[in-house]
């Protein structure tokens, strides 16, 4: 255990010696030191989720309810991209490539309002501010990573219990969709990648963090008894620390803002890739 007392932590990102985090249901973005000290970076009234950074280091957060990406400038929010024209539900997790392009998923329907489940899409916000859909018919796209020197993008389809891969073209477009890993009974949430290409997957329904290779082989497994596995990120001074966001409550406790969210850590053999995630 590194630190607890949060509500529901998402979108962990390691950046310049600190871990950035979104507390989705406490409406706050935090920055965390390796010794557990933290500072509040800003409030996000429409609920924060995925985090990334522009090439100049400016942090950007997904503002879920208003379907926008917002730059964090000081303790204020400045609109970076409005995804209302392409997102059919709350925007969620994201990843940034080496050029500064953002790939952003969304729920696809009104999950919290009890809407009927529907497939969704993955949008790309280009460096010139243009926005386009680069993949559709995704079943709740969630955590996303870029690997193989930027040539491959992998996204977690939470409700279909799989990781799905695409090839990336030089302009950021995606092609050659395929199943990267069938997760069986496990529902993947946040994911991150290590230097050997292994993908660490947070399995929300089973309370596990597992390391998966292409084809579905699980090489490592960490079980968090009595907790949900929400998201993970490799970091630390040498990249060998896996930061695990957990939730020790029931689903209804999230909306009650029960403070059951925590960050736990463990040492792993293979370090993370750092930033950007390519």
């Amino acid at each position: 255990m590194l630190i607890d007392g949060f509500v529901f932590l998402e979108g962990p990102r390691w950046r310049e010696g600190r871990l950035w985090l979104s507390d989705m249901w406490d409406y706050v973005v935090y920055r965390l030191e390796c010794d557990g000290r933290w500072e509040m970076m800003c409030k996000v009234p429409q609920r924060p989720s995925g985090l990334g950074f522009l090439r100049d280091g400016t942090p950007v957060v997904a503002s879920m309810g208003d379907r926008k990406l917002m730059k964090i400038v000081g303790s204020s929010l400045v609109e970076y991209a409005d995804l209302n024209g392409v997102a059919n539900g709350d925007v969620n997790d994201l990843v940034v490539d080496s050029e500064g392009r953002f790939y952003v998923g969304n729920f696809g329907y009104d999950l919290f309002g009890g809407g009927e489940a529907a497939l969704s899409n993955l949008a790309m916000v280009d460096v010139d501010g243009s926005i386009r859909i680069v993949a559709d018919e995704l079943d709740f796209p969630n955590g996303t990573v870029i690997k193989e020197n930027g040539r491959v993008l992998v996204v977690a389809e939470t409700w279909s219990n799989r990781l799905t891969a695409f090839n990336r073209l030089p302009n950021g477009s995606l092609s050659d969709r395929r199943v990267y890993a069938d997760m069986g009974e496990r529902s993947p949430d946040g994911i991150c990648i290590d230097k050997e290409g292994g993908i660490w997957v947070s399995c929300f329904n089973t309370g596990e963090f597992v390391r998966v290779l292409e084809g579905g082989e699980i090489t490592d497994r960490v079980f968090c008894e009595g907790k949900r596995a929400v998201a993970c990120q490799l970091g630390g001074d040498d990249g060998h620390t896996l930061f695990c966001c957990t939730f020790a409550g029931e689903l209804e406790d999230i909306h009650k803002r029960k403070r059951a969210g925590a960050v736990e850590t463990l040492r792993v053999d293979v370090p993370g890739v750092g930033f950007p995630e390519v």
Side-chain angles (χ1 to χ4, degrees):
M1 176 66 69
L2 179 61
I3 190 169
D4 59 6
F6 298 95
V7 180
F8 192 79
L9 295 173
E10 271 279 13
R13 294 293 182 267
W14 181 258
R15 176 75 174 178
E16 295 181 347
R18 298 179 179 90
L19 187 72
W20 290 69
L21 296 153
S22 290
D23 194 332
M24 180 186 295
W25 287 101
D26 207 20
Y27 313 100
V28 175
V29 173
Y30 291 100
R31 191 169 64 180
L32 184 65
E33 304 283 349
C34 285
D35 60 5
R37 290 177 297 151
W38 55 265
E39 59 180 318
M40 186 177 75
M41 304 308 295
C42 68
K43 287 275 190 177
V44 184
Q46 293 296 322
R47 287 176 281 110
S49 185
L51 287 158
F53 298 87
L54 299 175
R55 296 187 72 181
D56 65 4
T58 302
V60 174
V61 61
S63 181
M64 301 181 71
D66 55 5
R67 305 180 188 182
K68 294 180 179 181
L69 298 186
M70 309 294 287
K71 293 192 295 185
I72 301 174
V73 180
S75 60
S76 301
L77 298 176
V78 177
E79 183 176 315
Y80 181 70
D82 186 341
L83 290 125
N84 278 280
V86 296
N88 297 319
D90 288 4
V91 295
N92 193 22
D93 214 339
L94 57 82
V95 71
V96 191
D97 74 3
S98 60
E99 299 298 318
R101 304 183 187 102
F102 285 76
Y103 292 86
V104 190
N106 73 87
F107 289 177
Y109 63 100
D110 186 4
L111 173 67
F112 300 130
E116 183 177 352
L119 297 179
S120 185
N121 58 54
L122 192 68
M124 188 188 77
V125 181
D126 214 331
V127 293
D128 62 1
S130 61
I131 301 170
R132 57 191 170 95
I133 294 172
V134 289
D136 56 14
E137 296 188 350
L138 294 168
D139 198 0
F140 206 88
N142 213 322
T144 309
V145 296
I146 296 172
K147 58 179 300 185
E148 296 183 22
N149 294 317
R151 295 189 298 270
V152 174
L153 179 143
V154 180
V155 60
E157 291 191 77
T158 298
W159 299 151
S160 286
N161 293 4
R162 66 183 174 225
L163 303 183
T164 298
F166 299 86
N167 290 343
R168 291 181 71 239
L169 301 178
N171 67 356
S173 297
L174 304 181
S175 64
D176 300 317
R177 177 175 179 165
R178 57 197 179 275
V179 175
Y180 184 89
D182 184 338
M183 300 300 297
E185 65 177 3
R186 300 175 173 93
S187 297
D189 195 333
I191 64 177
C192 67
I193 189 169
D194 63 36
K195 283 192 174 179
E196 291 184 357
I199 296 179
W200 286 88
V201 182
S202 310
C203 304
F204 186 80
N205 62 327
T206 60
E208 299 168 284
F209 296 92
V210 297
R211 182 178 184 268
V212 181
L213 304 181
E214 186 168 8
E217 178 187 353
I218 292 176
T219 64
D220 300 85
R221 174 180 175 269
V222 181
F223 180 59
C224 303
E225 186 173 0
K227 300 176 182 179
R228 305 277 184 173
V230 183
C232 56
Q233 176 67 60
L234 284 160
D237 292 340
D238 58 2
H240 285 271
T241 299
L242 185 69
F243 294 91
C244 301
C245 297
T246 62
F247 182 76
E250 301 300 325
L251 293 179
E252 55 268 24
D253 292 330
I254 299 174
H255 305 285
K256 295 176 183 177
R257 298 178 69 188
K258 178 181 178 180
R259 293 196 170 275
V263 180
E264 305 181 50
T265 65
L266 70 151
R267 296 284 295 174
V268 297
D269 289 337
V270 182
V273 299
F275 178 84
E277 295 177 316
V278 297

